[in-house]
Amino acid sequence: MSSRDRATEVEGLYAEAAQWHVNAGGETIHAKRLAGRWRTFKWLTASVWLVFFLGPYVRWDGRQAVLFDIPNRQYHLFGATVLPQDFWMLSLLLLFFAILLAVVTAVVGRAWCGYFCFQTVWTDVFTWIEERLEGPPAARRRLDQAPFAVRLRARLPKHLLWLVIGWFTGFSFVAWFVDAPTLWRTFFTGEAGVAAYVTVALFTAGTYVLAGFLREQVCFWLCPYARIQGVMLDPTTLVPAYDTGRGEPRGRLRRGGEAAAGQGDCIDCNQCVAVCPTGVDIRQGQQEGCITCALCIDACDQVMDKVGKARGLIRYASLDELEGRPTRPLALRPRVWLYGGILTLALAGIVYGLASLAALDLKVLHERAPLFVRLSDGSIQNRYTLKLLNKTPDPLAVEIRVSGPPGLEVSGLERPIQAAAGVVTPALVFVRVPESALAAEQQPVVFHAEARRRDGQRLDTARESVFIAPAP
Amino acid sequence: MADHNPFPGENNTGHIWDSDLRELQNPPPRWWMIGFWTSILWVIGYTILYPSWPVGEEPTPGILGWTQIEEYERGVAQIEARRAEFESRIGALGVEEILADPGLTQYTLASAKVLFGDNCAACHGSGGQGNPGYPVLADDDWLYGGSTAKLTETITQGRKGNMLAHQDILSAEEVDTLARWTVEMSQGEPGSEAGWQLFSTKGCSGCHGPTANGVLAELPGGEVITVGAADLTDRIWRFEPGGYESARHTILYGVNQSGVEQTREAVMPAFGPTARVEDVEIRRLDPQEIKKLVVYVRLLGGGL
């Protein structure tokens, strides 16, 4: 690039720079959109949300692969059916994601905010539409000043499109809770549940207002996570940061593209502010408004290319690195190990839970009042309540055997227990042990349950309980 | 102060501390004001629709006419409607038929648990484990028979045991022999010859039965005739803690003998629909409730 071309480029940047300033919350931010590495990365991370829209249409075994069936209290995850009894796994799942958020934030900053958060992603898509329909930021800013009738005509398509996206957001949300193809039919014939219509309406309105109007104000003033994540950063966290040592003192290039003597690499073109979706100035350092989306890195790199300086004036860097302190590798930070340990534990619990989800579950409750009863022949009787949980979709005839002290007799299990599908079936069982076999106050008894599904698959489970007798 | 405002034109109140800390008069954000006024409108709308303002004795009723007690009553009616199906089946079926239906049995157990707690547990224990002086309901020893018919009769009409005090009838030696014999019998031994001799000749077998098992006669179909006298051949003692002293005490002072200070007391009140207490007719349990209790008591352990 010749110095003359460079000068023209720089002039252009300054001409534009006058428009940009830091938004304190009082006006609409019309961020400039630039192509770049991080821009592409952002689209890729945002596309994770396609799962939200398309997920409900995946089928498995003739039904929706993932279905949160609240009325029937059954949660289908592909082959597995999770009942409320298995909900301890949900707490592990929540723990996992909470810690994941913490560990990611500690290592690479607010990656959730910048790349994955629905507020960020939907706002991004909404402003992309805005740019397609109404032109670049300058044109949109002019339109802001136009008379109402002009604005209405120019902006109606955008608002309609926003509402359509909002509606799809709500509809897709509801589709995780009811059969999706059925919902497409019932929703338009007025047969869907009231909850479905209310949810879709709330989501449509919420999406429209939050992503269309409130935008970065949500991150500034409404979102608790934004503040929580802000305090999880430490000097070792990698965040998009302005290299003050290299950039300052900043100053505009002279005509001809030359920097004054002693001037830093920042040419004060304000491009980083121009592209920022929350309207902050990254050069002021880490701040609450920064969602670490890295779009300023793209902008600054392009400017550095144009003025012939090395990229990376704004880059992913830790505070330690920028201030010249030694940086510690990830593997030596106790915080990473602690977070990682909790993550692994939670994950192991979930994997164990899903792997051991038995189709037939037996619980045995020993009667406490009285613990035992002496019968007229001197034998001791204990009373148990069995709770059989049948997680299969069909009723099961469950045979139960009891093993324990020699000579024990069982009543209440003469016929198989008819365990209805998807619910707990209780049964009363009495176990008698003759006086001669009462060796100790407590002896183990094991209840073995066995059933056969219609397709011949054998289900069995066992549960140990205790037989209690008076002290010998 | 305001005359020398060093920050003119920024809409401050003129209150300045530490030369630059000042109070501004900026309006709250518009979204905040919208939320504020919406909340106020909400309150007005709410107080028009629902009971709220404490005017006079009762608060303003609200034009929707909603009350908490009505909502509660609707909820109770819903529960009653769900119970009605089970209740009508229980009404139509006998105890044995209820016991043959696992679903109905479970409903009856849940329903009767409350009745048992209110009416029976005080004496017989929360799980039918009995209390000193009050029979265990969870074992298989029944003074008056453990069939459903007998249980129904016991709950409806109540029971009152009766055993003579033998302190003036038998000699101390005879009482001692009989008490020892009773302990032997309860341990599954044949019992001493002298004991059997006294048992058969002193009138004991008249109530406790010829074989001392409390049964006077067995009827076809498994029913038995008893007068509520204890089975002396099994391991269960009517008056815990069992043993020689217990047996001797009962023989000496009898059961429910008026005028005998140390007599055993063994009275179960009547719980039937027309039970009388001190000549006043009261309603305690209706036949449906008694039927549920019979199922419950059978399944405490002794009915199987």
Side-chain angles (χ1 to χ4, degrees):
Chain A
M1 197 183 276
S2 75
S3 67
R4 195 179 178 79
D5 289 346
R6 189 176 295 163
T8 328
E9 289 271 3
V10 175
E11 296 290 312
L13 290 175
Y14 283 132
E16 203 183 307
Q19 305 167 16
W20 310 118
H21 64 96
V22 179
N23 174 31
E27 67 188 88
T28 313
I29 291 182
H30 292 292
K32 185 173 166 181
R33 297 180 81 88
L34 288 176
R37 274 191 304 161
W38 291 104
R39 177 67 260 177
T40 312
F41 181 70
K42 202 170 150 117
W43 279 127
L44 287 176
T45 56
S47 64
V48 167
W49 283 98
L50 287 177
V51 174
F52 171 76
F53 288 97
L54 302 177
Y57 306 100
V58 180
R59 309 296 289 182
W60 189 275
D61 261 353
R63 58 164 171 72
Q64 195 157 318
V66 181
L67 180 65
F68 303 101
D69 187 352
I70 291 176
N72 295 317
R73 291 176 184 78
Q74 292 187 349
Y75 307 93
H76 302 290
L77 299 166
F78 296 92
T81 296
V82 182
L83 295 182
Q85 284 85 352
D86 306 313
F87 255 39
W88 57 274
M89 280 191 283
L90 180 72
S91 53
L92 284 183
L93 194 71
L94 294 176
L95 175 71
F96 176 80
F97 280 116
I99 297 295
L100 186 66
L101 189 75
V103 71
V104 167
T105 309
V107 176
V108 291
R110 290 165 61 180
W112 162 256
C113 296
Y115 305 117
F116 296 99
C117 176
F118 34 83
Q119 179 63 26
T120 305
V121 171
W122 263 249
T123 302
D124 198 27
V125 172
F126 273 36
T127 50
W128 179 80
I129 290 171
E130 207 166 48
E131 175 128 334
R132 295 289 113 191
L133 295 176
E134 296 170 7
R140 302 208 301 270
R141 210 166 281 113
R142 273 198 302 278
L143 193 59
D144 280 342
Q145 309 300 326
F148 179 75
V150 179
R151 265 186 300 161
L152 182 70
R153 206 172 324 114
R155 289 188 164 162
L156 195 61
K158 172 185 82 179
H159 287 286
L160 291 178
L161 213 50
W162 284 0
L163 283 168
V164 169
I165 292 175
W167 180 85
F168 261 103
T169 306
F171 189 86
S172 302
F173 181 80
V174 173
W176 290 89
F177 297 89
V178 293
D179 185 65
T182 315
L183 182 65
W184 273 104
R185 183 168 46 75
T186 54
F187 194 85
F188 296 104
T189 52
E191 295 164 37
V194 177
Y197 290 110
V198 171
T199 309
V200 172
L202 286 176
F203 265 78
T204 309
T207 310
Y208 179 69
V209 171
L210 291 175
F213 299 93
L214 279 175
R215 295 189 180 169
E216 81 289 343
Q217 301 298 309
V218 173
C219 314
F220 273 102
W221 316 116
L222 294 182
C223 179
Y225 295 112
R227 300 305 165 90
I228 293 171
Q229 291 192 55
V231 300
M232 290 193 289
L233 305 180
D234 62 18
T236 61
T237 307
L238 283 174
V239 284
Y242 168 67
D243 191 339
T244 319
R246 190 186 138 190
E248 298 295 322
R250 70 183 82 154
R252 297 191 168 203
L253 294 184
R254 301 205 185 110
R255 277 185 190 281
E258 297 306 318
Q263 190 171 307
D265 277 357
C266 176
I267 61 161
D268 206 12
C269 64
N270 265 352
Q271 285 295 302
C272 50
V273 181
V275 297
C276 182
T278 62
V280 300
D281 185 347
I282 191 71
R283 294 170 301 176
Q284 292 168 357
Q286 249 312 301
Q287 52 200 294
E288 57 173 18
C290 178
I291 59 170
T292 76
C293 68
L295 291 179
C296 48
I297 299 183
D298 277 347
C300 190
D301 280 351
Q302 287 177 26
V303 171
M304 289 298 112
D305 286 350
K306 282 175 187 164
V307 300
K309 288 181 175 149
R311 287 183 169 198
L313 179 59
I314 300 177
R315 64 177 187 276
Y316 259 105
S318 67
L319 190 65
D320 280 346
E321 182 193 331
L322 290 175
E323 299 191 338
R325 284 192 293 270
T327 51
R328 259 202 290 184
L330 275 185
L332 292 180
R333 294 170 52 191
R335 206 196 253 228
V336 173
W337 282 99
L338 184 66
Y339 283 154
I342 303 174
L343 267 186
T344 316
L345 276 181
L347 199 62
I350 298 166
V351 169
Y352 166 79
L354 282 175
S356 60
L357 271 184
L360 185 64
D361 186 46
L362 174 66
K363 289 205 169 32
V364 178
L365 282 74
H366 187 282
E367 176 68 44
R368 281 165 302 195
L371 285 170
F372 57 83
V373 170
R374 185 179 288 281
L375 298 184
S376 47
D377 63 356
S379 61
I380 295 295
Q381 177 171 277
N382 279 200
R383 183 183 194 240
Y384 301 87
T385 305
L386 307 189
K387 303 244 175 193
L388 267 170
L389 172 61
N390 170 10
K391 295 189 199 169
T392 71
D394 311 305
L396 291 173
V398 184
E399 303 261 10
I400 295 190
R401 278 185 305 113
V402 187
S403 57
L408 70 79
E409 285 177 61
V410 181
S411 47
L413 295 173
E414 293 75 17
R415 284 171 297 170
I417 297 170
Q418 301 298 327
V423 294
V424 174
T425 306
L428 270 184
V429 175
F430 297 91
V431 174
R432 278 185 302 282
V433 172
E435 212 170 5
S436 58
L438 298 172
E441 261 183 275
Q442 298 201 359
Q443 300 186 73
V445 283
V446 185
F447 292 78
H448 309 267
E450 196 181 317
R452 230 165 244 294
R453 295 185 68 170
R454 259 192 302 203
D455 58 8
Q457 188 198 351
R458 192 172 154 278
L459 304 172
D460 64 343
T461 179
R463 176 73 66 168
E464 188 177 313
S465 184
V466 66
F467 186 90
I468 298 180
Chain B
M1 212 171 174
D3 301 336
H4 306 288
N5 194 334
F7 304 96
E10 68 164 9
N11 199 22
N12 67 37
T13 56
H15 301 159
I16 296 164
W17 299 269
D18 292 347
S19 63
D20 63 349
L21 191 60
R22 55 219 189 265
E23 186 181 7
L24 301 186
Q25 286 181 317
N26 292 337
R30 189 190 296 165
W31 65 264
W32 192 92
M33 290 307 292
I34 291 173
F36 177 72
W37 287 113
T38 311
S39 308
I40 290 192
L41 286 177
W42 177 277
V43 169
I44 293 170
Y46 183 91
T47 56
I48 292 171
L49 294 174
Y50 288 97
S52 39
W53 299 111
V55 183
E57 298 253 318
E58 292 288 318
T60 53
I63 59 173
L64 286 186
W66 177 92
T67 65
Q68 207 163 23
I69 190 70
E70 269 173 30
E71 186 161 306
Y72 165 74
E73 279 160 2
R74 269 200 304 279
V76 170
Q78 275 177 2
I79 294 281
E80 295 292 345
R82 287 202 62 174
R83 287 177 181 163
E85 181 206 345
F86 291 103
E87 293 291 340
S88 72
R89 281 172 63 204
I90 289 173
L93 297 176
V95 171
E96 297 297 338
E97 291 164 307
I98 294 171
L99 285 167
D101 180 333
L104 202 53
T105 302
Q106 288 300 333
Y107 171 84
T108 310
L109 284 181
S111 168
K113 187 172 187 167
V114 180
L115 291 171
F116 190 87
D118 287 351
N119 296 287
C120 317
C123 295
H124 293 290
S126 61
Q129 70 269 43
N131 274 315
Y134 301 98
V136 177
L137 301 181
D139 64 22
D140 60 346
D141 181 27
W142 299 98
L143 294 168
Y144 297 90
S147 68
T148 55
K150 287 288 182 188
L151 287 176
T152 310
E153 192 179 295
T154 302
I155 297 172
T156 311
Q157 300 174 0
R159 298 290 186 188
K160 187 173 184 183
N162 186 16
M163 174 169 165
L164 279 180
H166 293 79
Q167 53 184 345
D168 302 329
I169 302 171
L170 298 175
S171 68
E173 198 183 327
E174 286 169 331
V175 170
D176 176 67
T177 306
L178 271 173
R180 281 179 200 286
W181 173 83
T182 311
V183 173
E184 288 159 11
M185 292 292 287
S186 78
Q187 286 164 351
E189 291 163 20
S192 68
E193 198 62 40
W196 274 111
Q197 185 68 31
L198 286 169
F199 177 77
S200 310
T201 56
K202 297 293 181 181
C204 311
S205 60
C207 293
H208 288 284
T211 59
N213 64 352
V215 174
L216 295 180
E218 289 191 24
L219 300 176
E223 288 283 358
V224 291
I225 293 177
T226 76
V227 292
D231 179 349
L232 302 177
T233 65
D234 67 14
R235 298 290 312 273
I236 294 162
W237 289 87
R238 170 65 185 84
F239 296 102
E240 292 279 1
Y244 174 81
E245 281 305 321
S246 176
R248 188 168 166 277
H249 187 104
T250 312
I251 296 168
L252 281 177
Y253 308 113
V255 177
N256 292 329
Q257 297 303 297
S258 57
V260 181
E261 200 178 317
Q262 285 170 284
T263 193
R264 302 279 194 188
E265 278 182 42
V267 180
M268 166 154 165
F271 285 86
T274 54
R276 284 173 166 274
V277 172
E278 291 173 357
D279 285 337
V280 180
E281 197 169 282
I282 55 153
R283 182 207 159 275
R284 286 189 164 176
L285 299 173
D286 62 30
Q288 178 102 345
E289 290 169 326
I290 290 175
K291 194 186 281 183
K292 288 183 195 171
L293 275 175
V294 171
V295 171
Y296 190 85
V297 171
R298 293 266 300 177
L299 291 177
L300 284 173
L304 292 155

